[in-house]
Amino acid sequence: MHYDLLLTGGEVIDPSAGYSGVMDVAIAGGKIAAVAPNIPATQALRSISVKGKYVFPGLVDMHAHVLINGHDMGMHTDTYTKASGVTTLCDAGSAGSATFGALRTVLDHHVRTRIRAFVNLSAIGITGVSRGGELSHFPYADPEGCARTITENPDLAIGVKLRFGPKLVWEYSTEPVKLARRAADMAGGVPMMMHITDSPIPLPELISPMKPGDIVTHCYHGRDNGIMGQEKQFVLKEVVEAQRAGIIFDCAHGRSHFNFRMIEKALDQGFLPDTISTDLTLTTATQGPVWDLPTTMSKLLHFGMTLPELVRRATANPAKLLGYEGTVGTLKPGANGDVAVFELRDGNFELIDSHGDKIIAKRRLIAQLTVKDGRVWYERPAE
């Protein structure tokens, strides 16, 4: 036998590898071994027909939270990732320098999903305290500890996270951004990710200290001073120029950061997100409106993004940012054996944004099978 697992007859879409069409995917030793038409089933220990389904690389969620408020998805993370085709996830700053050890313990002992993490500029991380955010009190800022945590955890920590918005920072100026950028420089020039919503400061001012490879997350929030400024009609030229210069714009759905009217305008103007992510937490996974990454992709599909555009932004693009270029988020031979199989179901599907607005989507991605490191991790129950 040449292969451990063979997925046959699916419509393979992987822009990073140049695959588009009906092909088989063979896996051996936990790695992608071959992608080609009509691979003989006799060459595999196990063969699964995925005819009529779409075959993508395992999805990569660029922004979610495993340990927000000290627990959240925690040890239940795998329950939500594997059932949605997600094999790799980035924790977007749940933990800071004082709490990062707890995140590592949970990941080391309870989570099989492949994880990378941003370290919060605040030592305490995201606590959810109603009296103020993690940086509403300046002494919680810990650029030295943040940088040290990143350098001491190179297998897990990849950058600095800053949340900028009402009650989240000690002052409304570019100083919190500059401090986060300085922490990233101290850690060896790693990227910083900035959460930005309802800012009293125009977005062009806030992104001015950022460097190529840094990330603006929640780019479709639809609130004050976003990518379309206060007028909310046209994407700002400074934002377009920043994206062209290498600043990454991540959509990160979340409970309050995904606005259909903003999305429709932005996509009509040609402003696509560089990465598609969920900002998933336990609440948004069980009560909505996020639910999972395929649902977020389905919403963008409704507004005109193509499947290849969606797949690239939910696989190869985030994989590169997480340091996995060529090994995750692709079906190239030699890459990790992560595969996500989906049905693109026709129907009338009510989908809701973060502001309660509704659409009726005619198509929706439904996860059918998830393979991680060459092993079947999830199979959708028969309906």
Side-chain angles (χ1 to χ4, degrees):
M1 297 293 179
H2 293 87
Y3 310 118
D4 301 317
L5 179 65
L6 182 65
L7 306 178
T8 64
E11 181 83 15
V12 176
I13 297 180
D14 179 8
S16 72
Y19 298 137
S20 179
V22 176
M23 286 179 275
D24 302 338
V25 178
I27 300 172
K31 306 290 184 181
I32 302 296
V35 179
N38 302 316
I39 298 174
T42 55
Q43 296 184 5
L45 290 173
R46 182 183 182 187
S47 177
I48 301 175
S49 173
V50 291
K51 185 177 180 180
K53 305 297 191 295
Y54 284 93
V55 179
F56 308 150
L59 302 186
V60 180
D61 194 340
M62 184 69 204
H63 183 147
H65 290 283
V66 174
L67 206 71
I68 193 170
N69 301 336
H71 56 90
D72 208 76
M73 288 196 290
M75 64 184 65
H76 305 293
T77 299
D78 294 342
T79 300
Y80 303 104
T81 54
K82 66 184 181 181
S84 58
V86 172
T87 57
T88 306
L89 176 147
C90 182
D91 183 284
S94 298
S97 57
T99 55
F100 199 79
L103 175 63
R104 177 173 278 285
T105 297
V106 169
L107 299 182
D108 286 349
H109 296 284
H110 301 289
V111 178
R112 286 183 55 198
T113 306
R114 189 179 296 103
I115 304 283
R116 287 286 170 94
F118 282 85
V119 181
N120 204 295
L121 179 62
S122 168
I124 63 174
I126 302 175
T127 63
V129 176
S130 61
R131 295 180 180 178
E134 65 271 17
L135 283 172
S136 58
H137 188 47
F138 176 69
Y140 287 145
D142 186 18
E144 292 81 9
C146 180
R148 182 176 62 253
T149 300
I150 294 168
T151 57
E152 290 178 351
N153 295 272
D155 61 322
L156 176 57
I158 61 166
V160 177
K161 175 68 181 293
L162 166 70
R163 293 203 303 162
F164 192 105
K167 298 182 181 181
L168 294 177
V169 289
W170 66 91
E171 66 176 63
Y172 297 131
S173 73
T174 59
E175 290 307 307
V177 187
K178 292 176 181 177
L179 190 60
R181 184 61 253 172
R182 183 160 68 85
D185 289 340
M186 286 191 291
V190 298
M192 65 162 285
M193 174 188 281
M194 179 174 64
H195 157 129
I196 173 68
T197 54
D198 277 327
S199 167
I201 309 296
L203 185 57
E205 291 184 34
L206 290 178
I207 63 178
S208 61
M210 301 179 80
K211 297 181 178 180
D214 288 346
I215 302 158
V216 175
T217 192
H218 306 309
C219 68
Y220 292 146
H221 61 71
R223 299 178 184 272
D224 288 344
N225 281 318
I227 61 171
M228 293 185 179
Q230 293 295 75
E231 299 299 322
K232 301 178 184 177
Q233 293 299 318
F234 300 99
V235 178
L236 299 172
K237 64 179 179 61
E238 295 93 341
V239 170
V240 174
E241 291 168 355
Q243 189 182 50
R244 289 174 178 167
I247 302 296
I248 306 300
F249 287 83
D250 170 51
C251 74
H253 192 313
R255 62 172 59 87
S256 58
H257 310 303
F258 203 74
N259 181 275
F260 284 156
R261 281 176 279 186
M262 170 70 74
I263 291 165
E264 187 170 22
K265 290 177 184 178
L267 294 183
D268 284 347
Q269 294 170 36
F271 187 85
L272 277 63
D274 295 292
T275 54
I276 298 169
S277 67
T278 60
D279 188 21
L280 199 67
T281 61
L282 188 60
T283 300
T284 59
T286 57
Q287 300 176 24
V290 183
W291 303 112
D292 54 31
L293 186 53
T295 301
T296 302
M297 295 167 69
S298 297
K299 293 174 182 180
L300 294 169
L301 180 70
H302 171 81
F303 286 107
M305 287 187 67
T306 67
L307 281 177
E309 288 171 339
L310 293 168
V311 171
R312 182 182 292 278
R313 288 160 176 80
T315 57
N317 283 8
K320 181 178 180 180
L321 295 172
L322 299 184
Y324 290 125
E325 185 175 16
T327 62
V328 169
T330 180
L331 297 175
K332 292 179 181 178
N336 283 57
D338 292 2
V339 185
V341 177
F342 286 90
E343 175 189 357
L344 184 57
R345 187 172 297 179
D346 294 325
N348 293 295
F349 305 102
E350 182 179 271
L351 301 176
I352 304 173
D353 71 2
S354 298
H355 300 263
D357 289 338
K358 300 176 182 178
I359 57 173
I360 301 298
K362 298 300 183 182
R363 296 181 297 170
R364 182 170 184 170
L365 288 164
I366 306 292
Q368 300 294 313
L369 178 74
T370 306
V371 178
K372 182 178 181 296
D373 295 321
R375 295 184 178 181
V376 174
W377 199 25
Y378 170 82
E379 291 183 84
R380 185 177 181 83
E383 296 181 0

